[in-house]
Amino acid sequence: PIKVMSLELSQPLPVIDVGNGYEKLQLLLRLHGIPLGYLEMPLLEGVCSSHDLSNAILAQYGWSILSYLTKAGLSHLPHRGELSIAALCQLPKPTYSGPFPLVTVVVCTRNRTDDLKQCLDAILKLNYPNVEYLVVDNAPSDDRTAELVQKHYPQVCYVQEPKPGLSWARNRAIAEAKGEIIAYTDDDVIVDPDWVLSIVKVFTSDPEVMAVTGLVAPYELETESQILFERHGGFGRGFLNSRRYQIVGDRVPKHWLGGGQFGTGANMAYRRDLFDLIGGFNVALGAGTLSTGCEDHEMYFRVLKSGYALVYEPSALVWHRHRRTYEALRSQLASDGIGLYSYFTCTIQTYPDERWDFVRLALWWLWYGNLRWLWISLKYPNRYPRDLILAELKGCFVGLGRYRKALKVAAKLANDPAIAHHPHRILAKQQRHFPDADSVHTSSSTVLPHPSNSSGTTASLPKASTLFRSYQIPIAVRMVDISRPLQPLVDVLDYEKVRIFVTHNRQLLGKIDLHNGRQPITTARLYQVIGDELSAKLLELGLTLPRDLRWAKAMSTLSTQWTLKLDEGTTPVNLPPDIPVSIVVATYDRPNDLRRCLAALLGQNSTRPVEIIVVDNHP
């Protein structure tokens, strides 16, 4: 087993003692709550010293730390005239002062009360002042979930959705929710206390964003199946920087069609108004249906296809408990294959203009994600279990015929044959279960209002991509001076790219070519791209040092001034002096080289017992 932990780098580094039973430690490194990445450390008798931690963090994540501090300094220290490393190291954690729109946190569950209890315990510790909690019990076989929520969690709303299928449950949540933002997670997830706050920051900073996903990290790696799932790819989609997705034109780029790179349904949030515009989740997709999954991928695709923006924000963090048994993992991978190719069948059938791109993607994934791995397993049998690869491969072929059957089941459940043609429009037939719904959903300026015509009736919202001219337009050129507070670039809507020349007190630091997709560029995005591209030049602006010397000075400062310091009283963990060392030298007919090697080994300065073994290989 591998011990999984989270480590906040703004706090003194501790000695980590997890006891015997673990030989490796996987740390999710975070700075002011922002995930930087994973660090794997060996354990000596279950212990990892703070000295070893500090050295490894600086060696592997020194640049990520400096990049984050530089971006934070651009937004917090513009009035100081220079971004000194000492000042950056003292930056406090950024604070958020609002607004705080109502967020409905939704957990869809079925017959998993033990998992649900841990999930709700974490949700009730969220660091956000305006939350509605909602549990949707999907076609339960007993009353255990209802009893658990009503007895132990009175502040949580409970509803039951009798139609089996995750999309039915998620659509029921949309009908019940009072929040302007709906955040979905699963019952086998532990949410981070700042999860909702990180989601809200994205929505309130950019009114064009209609969907947000986040990082899903492994909660534990205790069993073989959990470790194998992470080796298979896991749920992680990147660290440190958020990514914004929005199309220009009518076609979704080919490399965005799969949907998996955007995130997973265990961690996603939407503006409530979005579902009134593009419909709810496809009830022929999702766990609990014949399609078994990918209702989240279909929704991501539909958001982009409709011209709206989707953001992946890694600081919106949740922890997922992977399947613990090998059989459960094999079943999950088979379901993943069925769900993915059911999704491909759905989109090929529904979007004729994207049809051949999806066909090519389905063929490519069959090779790259399945047949290629099968060939690797034949060549290297111990790299990954072949039966897991075959289970997913079989699921891909099964999925080709499942979607049409799932459509018929959905139409029968809805008692409406039209659902077989528009399975995401089921929301139009559902009754709102709370009063004054229109006032709830349009009360905040952070939510896009429903466009209205002159008669006051609701009109359809035009696709964002149709609001702009389609012919080729030159690249915009803008100047940004970081010695003053940055302002958003709102005059670039007629341009697909912007070339930004970055200066400091009229001194040119460099240029950045940014693909804005005919959208305004927010100050947050300016800070991000300038910090990513020009971090080395931004450090110690007042000093005329070469890049290498600035880097050396920065790393030295991190190791001394910043809080990558050790807990008081900690000392390095050394091997006991009586543990012997054996040095093995393998050789073959090279006595002159061996003479020099042995002379150096005999000169080793060590107080512990040392033996030198020469293995003469077939002389």
Side-chain angles (χ1 to χ4, degrees):
I2 300 171
K3 184 64 177 178
V4 177
M5 298 179 67
S6 177
L7 187 64
E8 173 56 50
L9 299 184
S10 62
Q11 303 297 321
L13 296 181
V15 173
I16 298 178
D17 187 349
V18 299
N20 292 324
Y22 297 94
E23 293 186 356
K24 188 185 293 185
L25 181 69
Q26 178 170 299
L27 295 170
L28 178 61
L29 302 182
R30 304 173 71 183
L31 178 52
H32 296 159
I34 306 299
L36 302 181
Y38 292 122
L39 176 70
E40 289 193 354
M41 294 293 294
L43 294 171
L44 176 61
E45 297 181 350
V47 176
C48 180
S49 74
S50 51
H51 290 79
D52 292 339
L53 271 179
S54 180
N55 292 334
I57 290 169
L58 288 175
Q60 296 186 39
Y61 287 96
W63 178 252
S64 297
I65 292 170
L66 288 174
S67 178
Y68 167 81
L69 292 176
T70 303
K71 286 178 282 189
L74 284 173
S75 58
H76 290 84
L77 302 174
H79 60 283
R80 298 198 178 186
E82 67 176 43
L83 296 174
S84 69
I85 301 172
L88 293 178
C89 290
Q90 301 303 319
L91 282 174
K93 180 180 179 179
T95 58
Y96 178 75
S97 57
F100 296 98
L102 177 63
V103 178
T104 299
V105 174
V106 177
V107 182
C108 300
T109 187
R110 184 178 188 274
N111 295 346
R112 297 203 296 190
T113 52
D114 292 338
D115 288 339
L116 181 62
K117 186 177 187 304
Q118 295 184 62
C119 178
L120 293 178
D121 287 342
I123 286 176
L124 293 180
K125 298 175 184 177
L126 284 169
N127 179 28
Y128 189 78
N130 197 13
V131 185
E132 176 193 33
Y133 310 101
L134 177 61
V135 168
V136 182
D137 199 3
N138 185 217
S141 60
D142 52 46
D143 296 331
R144 289 182 301 156
T145 300
E147 293 175 357
L148 172 70
V149 175
Q150 294 165 3
K151 181 178 180 181
H152 298 284
Y153 303 97
Q155 63 274 64
V156 177
C157 300
Y158 171 88
V159 295
Q160 189 178 115
E161 172 52 57
K163 300 181 183 66
L166 184 54
S167 289
W168 288 103
R170 286 181 168 156
N171 287 341
R172 179 62 182 270
I174 297 169
E176 299 282 349
K178 300 179 178 65
E180 301 166 13
I181 297 169
I182 302 178
Y184 289 96
T185 192
D186 291 342
D187 55 12
D188 53 359
V189 160
I190 305 297
V191 302
D192 183 76
D194 290 332
W195 174 56
V196 166
L197 183 62
S198 298
I199 290 172
V200 168
K201 287 179 181 179
V202 178
F203 281 120
T204 56
S205 65
D206 188 349
E208 296 291 328
V209 174
M210 296 296 264
V212 175
T213 65
L215 175 63
V216 180
Y219 179 72
E220 60 183 12
L221 294 174
E222 300 285 335
T223 68
E224 178 190 19
S225 65
Q226 292 175 329
I227 296 172
L228 285 173
F229 182 76
E230 278 298 297
R231 288 176 56 190
H232 188 264
F235 288 133
R237 297 299 180 265
F239 307 94
L240 191 58
N241 289 329
S242 61
R243 296 192 294 271
R244 190 180 192 275
Y245 302 92
Q246 189 170 17
I247 68 171
V248 176
D250 296 326
R251 301 287 295 276
V252 177
K254 297 177 183 178
H255 55 283
W256 290 0
L257 295 178
Q261 68 267 46
F262 304 128
T264 178
N267 185 2
M268 60 183 182
Y270 303 90
R271 295 190 192 272
R272 173 61 185 81
D273 284 359
L274 172 71
F275 302 109
D276 294 327
L277 301 172
I278 69 173
F281 290 88
N282 187 320
V283 292
L285 294 173
T289 70
L290 292 175
S291 299
T292 72
C294 278
E295 81 294 337
D296 47 356
H297 293 192
E298 195 273 340
M299 179 58 76
Y300 301 153
F301 171 78
R302 196 153 18 107
V303 169
L304 296 176
K305 184 68 174 176
S306 301
Y308 303 116
L310 180 151
V311 170
Y312 171 77
E313 175 52 58
S315 63
L317 169 67
V318 303
W319 303 84
H320 183 266
R321 289 193 300 278
H322 300 336
R323 304 294 191 272
R324 292 185 63 91
T325 67
Y326 194 84
E327 286 301 320
L329 174 62
R330 181 161 48 196
S331 176
Q332 179 189 358
L333 294 179
S335 296
D336 289 347
I338 295 173
L340 182 60
Y341 278 76
S342 295
Y343 161 67
F344 288 154
T345 305
C346 165
T347 48
I348 289 170
Q349 174 180 314
T350 309
Y351 302 95
D353 59 328
E354 308 276 6
R355 179 171 298 161
W356 292 111
D357 286 340
F358 270 108
V359 169
R360 283 189 286 268
L361 176 62
L363 293 174
W364 176 84
W365 183 252
L366 190 66
W367 156 249
Y368 184 81
N370 295 277
L371 295 178
R372 182 179 67 94
W373 278 102
L374 182 60
W375 178 82
I376 291 174
S377 71
L378 294 172
K379 189 175 182 180
Y380 306 103
N382 295 326
R383 180 168 295 186
Y384 196 79
R386 192 178 308 152
D387 61 325
L388 297 182
I389 300 171
L390 291 172
E392 186 172 3
L393 178 62
K394 180 181 177 181
C396 295
F397 288 102
V398 172
L400 292 173
R402 285 289 183 88
Y403 182 68
R404 292 183 182 274
K405 297 178 181 178
L407 279 175
K408 295 179 182 179
V409 173
K412 184 177 180 180
L413 288 173
N415 196 23
D416 185 355
I419 295 301
H421 302 287
H422 302 287
H424 58 279
R425 291 296 178 185
I426 187 66
L427 279 183
K429 302 181 68 63
Q430 289 186 341
Q431 180 71 29
R432 297 283 183 263
H433 292 270
F434 52 87
D436 199 15
D438 292 337
S439 63
V440 171
H441 295 316
T442 60
S443 59
S444 172
S445 61
T446 63
V447 180
L448 293 180
H450 294 198
S452 301
N453 55 28
S454 58
S455 64
T457 59
T458 301
S460 61
L461 187 68
K463 227 168 25 173
S465 57
T466 65
L467 300 178
F468 307 105
R469 297 185 296 274
S470 59
Y471 54 81
Q472 184 65 36
I473 299 176
I475 298 175
V477 177
R478 297 293 182 267
M479 302 287 290
V480 172
D481 189 345
I482 64 169
S483 63
R484 296 190 295 268
L486 301 187
Q487 300 297 326
L489 301 181
V490 297
D491 58 344
V492 293
L493 299 183
D494 289 335
Y495 299 89
E496 294 189 18
K497 289 185 179 181
V498 180
R499 176 162 294 177
I500 302 172
F501 288 91
V502 182
T503 63
H504 178 265
N505 289 333
R506 299 185 179 182
Q507 175 188 355
L508 181 64
L509 299 179
K511 68 177 178 67
I512 301 171
D513 287 337
L514 180 61
H515 182 88
N516 65 308
R518 295 176 180 174
Q519 298 295 322
I521 302 174
T522 64
T523 54
R525 195 174 184 199
L526 282 175
Y527 290 136
Q528 177 176 314
V529 297
I530 293 174
D532 287 339
E533 299 292 333
L534 301 175
S535 287
K537 292 185 178 181
L538 293 173
L539 296 173
E540 300 292 354
L541 286 168
L543 301 179
T544 57
L545 294 176
R547 176 190 176 102
D548 291 345
L549 290 182
R550 290 188 184 188
W551 170 252
K553 179 177 174 61
M555 294 303 294
S556 176
T557 304
L558 283 181
S559 62
T560 55
Q561 280 195 339
W562 191 49
T563 51
L564 265 181
K565 57 186 178 182
L566 315 178
D567 275 340
E568 294 183 3
T570 62
T571 57
V573 178
N574 296 320
L575 285 173
D578 58 338
I579 293 181
V581 173
S582 298
I583 302 174
V584 180
V585 181
T587 185
Y588 172 72
D589 289 351
R590 296 201 295 189
N592 293 329
D593 289 338
L594 179 63
R595 185 178 293 108
R596 288 190 291 270
C597 175
L598 293 178
L601 291 177
L602 291 173
Q604 291 292 305
N605 182 19
S606 175
T607 58
R608 67 179 67 250
V610 176
E611 66 174 0
I612 302 173
I613 303 173
V614 174
V615 182
D616 199 3
N617 182 221
H618 188 62

